[in-house]
Amino acid sequence: LDYQHVQVPFEITLWIMLASLAKIGFHLYNKLPSVVPESCLLIFVGLIMGGIIYGLNDRSPPVMDSDIFFLYLLPPIVLDAGYFMPSRPFFENIGTILLYAVVGTIWNVFGIGFSLYGICQVKAFRLQDVSLLHNLLFGSLIAAVDPVAVLAVFEEIHVNEKLHILVFGESLLNDAVTVVLYKLFRSFCEMPTIKSVDVFAGVGKFFVVGLGGVLVGLSFGFTAAFTTRFTKDIRVIEPLFVFLYSYLSYLTAEMFHLSGIVAIISCAMGMKRYVEANISLKSHTTVKYFMKMWSSVSDTLIFIFLGVSTIGENHEWNWPYICFTVIFCLIWRALGVLVLTFFVNRFHVNTITSKDQFIIAYGGLRGAICFSLVFLLPDFHRKKLFIAATTVVILFTVFVQGMTIRPLVDLLAVKRKRESAPTVGEQIHIRFLDHLLAGIEDISGHWGQYYWKDKLEYFNSKYLQKILLREYDQPKSSIVLLYEKLERKHAIELAQAGQLGHGPAHPSFLCSAFLCSSSDRTVITDQKLEETPNPDVLDNMQEILARNLYRIRRTGPAYSRHTLPGDSEPTEQAKEILILRHKNL
Amino acid sequence: LDYQHVQVPFEITLWIMLASLAKIGFHLYNKLPSVVPESCLLIFVGLIMGGIIYGLNDRSPPVMDSDIFFLYLLPPIVLDAGYFMPSRPFFENIGTILLYAVVGTIWNVFGIGFSLYGICQVKAFRLQDVSLLHNLLFGSLIAAVDPVAVLAVFEEIHVNEKLHILVFGESLLNDAVTVVLYKLFRSFCEMPTIKSVDVFAGVGKFFVVGLGGVLVGLSFGFTAAFTTRFTKDIRVIEPLFVFLYSYLSYLTAEMFHLSGIVAIISCAMGMKRYVEANISLKSHTTVKYFMKMWSSVSDTLIFIFLGVSTIGENHEWNWPYICFTVIFCLIWRALGVLVLTFFVNRFHVNTITSKDQFIIAYGGLRGAICFSLVFLLPDFHRKKLFIAATTVVILFTVFVQGMTIRPLVDLLAVKRKRESAPTVGEQIHIRFLDHLLAGIEDISGHWGQYYWKDKLEYFNSKYLQKILLREYDQPKSSIVLLYEKLERKHAIELAQAGQLGHGPAHPSFLCSAFLCSSSDRTVITDQKLEETPNPDVLDNMQEILARNLYRIRRTGPAYSRHTLPGDSEPTEQAKEILILRHKNL
C-alpha cells in the first residue's frame, strides 16, 4: 500500500465526492431542502464530519486553509456569478449598489469597531486589552456581506429581481472595500505610530483597488474574446479559454493587491457577449454547464469546510464580546440600510419600500470570507476570541437568518420574482423606451444612464465587435436570435413527438396563412411590409410577430445559480405552441 | 507585488495557456499539421522554451515531475481513450492485443536487455560497469509502447480500425507488464541475492496487477453508474461523477501498486453504457466535451514538457550505447511482431497482412511514460546515460518514425479506415450474424467469443441494467436511438433553414406516403407488418426503414480524440435528406 504517493489528489477527490454525495442525499428527500437552506444542511454535515475527525484523532480537525479558499474555492463561484449576472438590473441599480457596498460597508466597519471598543471599556467584561485598532480590524472583516452565503439563501427565496441584485451586487462589490480596510488596519496594527498621510493613502487606495480590478478584468476579458476569434478549427479547447482568462484575471488582481472578485466579475461580464458569439453551441453548453458544476461544488465544499473548521480548540469564549458582536452586526446594518435608503429614495422615482429595506438588512449574511480573513490575522493574544466571535456570527446569520428569511418573505408578502421573463412585446417596448430616453437625455443635456448606455452600444458596434467577433457582419438582434432558439427547440419537440411535418411547407403559402391568422394584430405591419419589400426585414418582422402570438413563451427562466437556463423549462410550452400553430392553419 | 502567494496556480494556468495558444497557432497555418505531426511541433516548442529558460537562468530547466505526469497528466488521456474506445474491434481482437501486450513486451524487455548487456561487454565502449540487471531494468522501461505518442500519431494517419486498435490496445494494456517488470528489476537491483522464489512471485504478480486493475476499475465504474441513478434533481453535478469515479479508480489502483491505466480503462468502459442512459443530454455533451478538452490539453502539456526536459545537463553521452539502444529497439520490436503474428495468423481466418505487420512494428513509438520512469530510477552512476538514451529513443521514434509513417502508409497503400460508419443495413446484418454465430457456438459446444458475448448481454439485461439504470423498462435498441438522434438533428436543420413544416403531418397519410415511396424495398416488411399490427413494433420498423433509405447517412464519424462526434459532420447531409423527403411526397 502506497498511500503517501497518491494522498493529495486522493483526498481532494474524496472531499469533492463527499460534497457531491451530500447534495444528492438532500435532494432525495424533497421536503428537506424546502424547509432548511442547503447551506445550513451542509454546515451541519461539516459539523458531524468535524466531530468524527475530532473524536477519532483527539485533536482539532484541520481548518479551512485561507489560501485554498481564496485561490481555488472562491473564484469558480464568483466567475459563475459574474457570467450569469443579469446585466440590465445590475447597471440600472449600480449607483445604489455602490452606495451600499462602499459607504454601507465603511459605516458598518466603523460602527461595529467603535461600539465593540466601547464594550471593551466595561471593566466587568475583562476585555480592556483589546485596542481600538484591533476592534476596527475585527470590524473590517466581520462587516462585509458574503456573496457565497447570500447566493445560497437568496436563490431559494425568489425575491424580486431588484431586491436580489441590490443585496447580491453589494456582497460582490464590497470586496474592494473589505480588502482595503482589512489590509489598512492590519498594517496600522503593526505600525508604531500612524501618520495622517497613511490615512489619506488608504482613502486613495479604494479607487486604485476597485478601478484597478475592473481594468485588469476587462483587459483579460477582451483578450479572451479576441483569442476565441481563432479557435474555429479546434472547437474542443474553446471552453478552456473562458476559464483560463478569468482565472488569470483573478490571480493577476490578487498579485497586485487589487480586488480579485471585482476583476473576475468584470472579466466575465466583459467577455460573455463576444465569447458567446464566437464559440460553438456545444462549447457554450459546456462552458455554462461546467461553470454551474464547479461553482456548485465549490460552494458545497466551502460550507462543509466551514462546519468542519468550527469544531476544535481554536476558540476563546467570552460571552459579552460575542453576544455584542452579533447584536452590533444586526443593529449597524439595519441603521446603515435605513439611512442610505433614505438618500437613495430621495433621488429615485422607483423607491425601495420599507419591506425591501427590511429584507436587505436581514439578508446581510456573513460567510466563509470573514472566516478565512480571521484565520489570516497575524498571531496576537486575542486571535482566538475573534475566531470564536466570527464563527458565531456566521452560524447565527446562516442558520437563524437564513432559515427565517423565507417565512418572513412570505409573511411580509415581499414582491416576488416574476416567474416568466418579459414577453417580446414588453422587450420591444423596453428597447424603444431606452432609445427614446437616450434621445431625451441627449437633447436636454442630461448625461444619465441611458445616454451612456447608448454611447457604449455605439462604441461597441463601431469598434469592439469588429475586433473581437469572428464573423462580423450586421449582428442579429437578440430578438431574432431568441426566435431562432425557440424555433430550434420547437423543432426538437416536434421530432420527439414524431410529428415532424414532411409536407413541403411552401414559403408563400406559409406566409399568407400566417398573415391571415394574425391579421387582426398585424394591420400596421402589413402596410409597412408593402412599403418595404426587403426580404430580410420581412423575415425578421414575421419572426418577431410569430414569436409574439404566444404570450406564454418565455425567454428562459430568470437567473439561478444551480440550474442551467432551459433545463427546467416545461415541455408543455412547446406542445402548446405546436397546438396553436396547427389551429392557425 | 505578491507573486509568492499566487505562484502555483498562476504558473499552472500560464503553462496550460501556452499549450492552448500553441495549438491555436498550429491550426492557423493549415498546411503545417498535415506534414508534421502535432506532437513533433509541440516537442519543438518545448525545446525552444527549454532553451530560453536555460539561456536566461544558466541552469537546466526543471524536468517534468514524474508525480505530476502520473497523477495529473496521464489519467485524463487514458480516461478519454477508454471512454471513447470502440468496444467491438477491441473485444474482437482482445486475444491478439493481449499477446502483443504481454508476450511482446516481455520479449522486447529481455531482447533489448540482453543484447545491450552484450554490447556492454565490448571493452572499447567502456561500458563494462553496467550490469545485466541494470540493462534489463533499462529494457523494461524502454520496451513499452506509449499510448500518448501512439494516439497522437495514429489519429492523424487514419489506418484501418483493426490496425489502429492492435497498436493502441497494446500500448494501453502493456502498462501492467511494464509496471511489474520495472518494479521487479528495480527491487532486484537493490537486493543482494535473487532467489528463484522471487522470480516466480514476479510471474504471479502479472495476473494480480492486470486483473486487479480490471476489478478495481469495474467496481468503480458500476458504482458510478449506480450513483447517477439518483441525480435526476441535480443534473448539474452529473458530469462530476464520471470524472471523480474514474480518477478514484486510477488512484486506488496506483495505491495498491496495480495498473492504474488498466483500471481507468475498465472503469470508463464499464460505466459508459449506463451513465449515458442515466444522465441528461446536456450533461453528456459536457462530459464528452470536457474529456476531449482535458485529454487534449494534457497531451499538449506532456509533449511540451518533454521538449523542455530534454534541454539541460542531465545527459551522459555514450555513442555506442545510445545508437545500439535505438537499433535494438527497432530490431526486437520487428522480430517480436513477426513471430507473434505468425502464431496469431495460424489461428485466425482474418489474418494480419505483412503490410499491417510492418506498420505495427514501425508504429511502436516511445513517449513520456519511459521518460518519467527513467527519472524515477534510483540514483546510480549511470543514470544520466540511461536518461540520454531514453531521450534519444523518444525523439527518434516521435520525430523520425512519427513523421515518416504517414508517407509510408500512403506508399504501401495500407488499408485505410472507412470514412463512413456502417449503414443500418450492415449493422442489422452484423447483429443478425452475431446471434447466429452465438447459436452455432452454443450448439457445437465451442465456447468462443460470440457465446460469451451473448451470455454477457443476457446477464446485463437480466441483472445489471435493473440495478444501474434509472428508468428500467425495455431499453430501446441502439438503432432506434440512432434514428431518434438523426430525426432531432434533421429537425434542427429544418428549423435553421426556416422550413419547418407547419402543416399537420397526419400520421396515416405520412405512413402511406412513406410506404408507397419505399414499396420496392419493403415487400417483406409490409407482409410482416400486416401479420403483426403491434403499433410499437410498427413504429420501430418504420423508423429503421426510414433511416435506411438514405445510404449516405452516417452514424457519426469514427473515433478520433480531438474532435467530438458530430462536430465536423457536414450540414449538406441533412439537407440532402430533406430534399429526398420532399421528393418522396
Side-chain angles (χ1 to χ4, degrees), chain A residues 1-3 5 9 20 67 235-236 240 245 247 255-256 283 286 289-290 293 297 491 502 510 581 585, chain B residues 1-3 5 9 17 20 67 71 235-236 240 247 255-256 283 286 289-290 293 297 491 502 510 581 585:
Chain A
L1 192 78
D2 184 10
Y3 185 61
H5 178 56
S20 317
D67 261 5
R235 291 290 192 189
V236 127
L240 206 61
Y245 278 109
Y247 194 43
M255 197 159 72
F256 291 104
S283 299
T286 307
Y289 221 93
F290 231 77
M293 198 178 90
V297 169
H502 295 252
L510 178 68
R581 284 246 161 118
L585 298 168
Chain B
L1 192 78
D2 183 9
Y3 184 61
H5 177 56
M17 186 73 100
S20 316
D67 261 4
L71 291 182
R235 292 288 193 193
V236 126
L240 205 62
Y247 193 44
M255 199 158 69
F256 291 104
S283 298
T286 307
Y289 222 93
F290 231 78
M293 198 176 90
V297 169
H502 295 253
L510 177 69
R581 284 247 160 122
L585 296 167

Side-chain angles (χ1 to χ4, degrees), chain A residues 512-526 549:
Chain A
S512 61
F514 165 72
L515 286 175
C516 170
S517 70
S518 54
S519 56
D520 48 340
R521 304 192 202 185
T522 55
V523 180
I524 303 158
T525 326
D526 255 1
L549 287 177

Side-chain angles (χ1 to χ4, degrees), chain B residues 501-554:
Chain B
H502 295 253
H506 193 275
S508 67
F509 162 73
L510 177 69
C511 175
S512 61
F514 165 74
L515 286 175
C516 172
S517 71
S518 55
S519 56
D520 48 340
R521 302 193 201 183
T522 56
V523 180
I524 304 156
T525 326
D526 255 0
Q527 287 172 352
K528 210 175 170 188
L529 287 183
E530 279 160 22
E531 284 161 29
T532 56
N534 180 348
D536 280 349
V537 174
L538 195 131
D539 278 348
N540 281 2
M541 287 284 179
Q542 279 183 13
E543 281 168 352
I544 292 160
L545 281 168
R547 163 69 182 74
N548 207 14
L549 286 176
Y550 317 109
R551 245 170 291 158
I552 44 106
R553 278 199 190 181
R554 297 188 297 169

Side-chain angles (χ1 to χ4, degrees), chain B residues 379-394:
Chain B
D379 273 324
F380 78 113
H381 64 291
R382 287 291 195 174
K383 189 175 169 183
K384 285 190 173 182
L385 174 63
F386 285 181
I387 293 176
T390 310
T391 308
V392 170
V393 170
I394 292 170

Side-chain angles (χ1 to χ4, degrees), chain A residues 162 344-352:
Chain A
K162 186 178 173 184
V344 168
N345 278 348
R346 284 190 62 177
F347 294 101
H348 281 80
V349 184
N350 186 3
T351 57
I352 300 166

Side-chain angles (χ1 to χ4, degrees), chain B residues 464-483:
Chain B
L464 282 181
Q465 287 193 338
K466 281 182 193 163
I467 301 167
L468 301 178
L469 291 188
R470 183 185 302 144
E471 287 143 3
Y472 179 72
D473 44 11
Q474 201 55 37
K476 286 174 179 170
S477 101
S478 61
I479 289 174
V480 175
L481 285 175
L482 169 67
Y483 177 78

